[in-house]
Amino acid sequence: MPQTVLVTGGAGFIGSHTCVELLRSGHEVVVLDDHSNSSPESLERVAKIAGRPIAAAHTADVRDRRALDKVFASHKIDAVIHFAAKKAVGESVQIPLTYYDINVGGTTALVSAMHDHGVHRLVFSSSCSIYGNATVVPLTEESPAAPTNPYATTKWTCERILADLCRNLPELRVLALRYFNPAGAHPTGLLGEDPRGIPNNIMPFLAQIAVGRREELSVFGDDYPTPDGTGVRDYIHVVDVAEGHRAALDHIDDEPGMRVFNLGTGRGSSVLELVKTFEEVSGRPIPHRIAARRPGDVAELVADPAKVESAWGWTARRDVAAMCRDAWNFQQQNPYGYAP
Ligand code: UD1
């Protein structure tokens, strides 16, 4: 089992929850994060939950080769989990070059540093968004990729680069995990999603309405070909996603080369269903009105999670009500996120 794990973007939403799971299962954890969309405070809380701290935190941009060399020179890294990336679909349409630079350039810089320092195990954060306008759901890993926005295209591009590298560098082992929609928070209320500015993703937006920071939700489109006309997504609890990464490390040496897995629940929820569940769980009304579709959005993305279950015995265990409950708990305990 890989012992010391470098986690890029380890202070972020999924990264911080993953650090907790890694520490709990006995790994040493080194974090590299530029804090462009995260707070160092999350790592203090990781230590509090896990009962021990991470080994080191480096503040640096993942594209910075010098900084990467320093990290690999100062720790004996056995495996890397690469979360550091930009992830807002709408923003990616506005500033696509920045997305290519950070998401693709960051990944090649990282793999190049790994190669030079003899590190061959990588877990890559991919995304269900690569499936784009899926015609058939649920989506298996064999479903065709058809990204509809620059964010999704960067993730698909990284997957193809990594697959090609694996074909040419036989020592490399890559697991690309295609997350569906990670949501929720740690059940302790200490860790959660704390986006800078106006949240792009729906769950933190709902939580900020419930706590009184925002007025109402714009429901982006009610004319999709879905049962109630609003977008359907496969929301997966962030702790399930974190546990999926722990399982990935346990299985990264099963086979050489590149392997791809969906991380989803197999169950879809519409925007209106999510609003209703959040209202029930929080006991607060969520004012909402129908607005135009958001550019780059698709109707429905739901995983077929069978492959990862049969390979690793891993399956998502928490439901949408738990995601809403935990997101609400985090929001109540931290109305302004990690800010003091
Ligand atoms: C997108 C990506 C996903 C990625 C995630 C990371 C796509 C299709 N999906 O998720 O792969 O992991 O970003 O950020 O590219 N909504 C509203 N009002 C809001 C916000 C959202 O109605 O204010 C709706 C959206 O239209 C969508 C659903 O809520 O139907 C979920 O949106 P969001 O949380 O932003 O995630 P995705 O766009 O699905």
Side-chain angles (χ1 to χ4, degrees), residues 32-50:
L32 179 134
D33 198 304
D34 70 353
H35 300 302
S36 55
N37 192 29
S38 69
S39 163
E41 168 67 15
S42 68
L43 295 173
E44 305 293 329
R45 298 184 180 198
V46 164
K48 205 166 167 183
I49 298 170

Side-chain angles (χ1 to χ4, degrees), residues 87 89 127-129 149 151 180-181 200-202 205 217-220 231 233 235 271 294 297-298 301:
K87 57 146 209 167
V89 171
S127 165
C128 66
S129 61
N149 57 67
Y151 160 71
F180 279 66
N181 283 58
N200 290 297
N201 295 115
I202 189 162
F205 206 105
L217 177 77
S218 296
V219 176
F220 295 143
R233 296 290 183 272
Y235 296 96
V271 174
R294 182 171 62 176
D297 266 356
V298 299
L301 286 172

Side-chain angles (χ1 to χ4, degrees), residues 257-316:
M258 165 113 171
R259 280 169 296 151
V260 175
F261 293 100
N262 285 337
L263 290 193
T265 67
R267 285 177 298 277
S269 306
S270 73
V271 174
L272 294 179
E273 285 169 340
L274 195 63
V275 167
K276 187 163 166 279
T277 306
F278 205 99
E279 285 180 326
E280 283 165 9
V281 159
S282 66
R284 303 271 174 106
I286 305 285
H288 55 279
R289 68 179 171 83
I290 306 301
R293 289 183 179 191
R294 182 171 62 176
D297 266 356
V298 299
E300 182 168 9
L301 286 172
V302 177
D304 178 340
K307 183 181 172 189
V308 68
E309 184 169 6
S310 73
W312 305 342
W314 177 87
T315 166

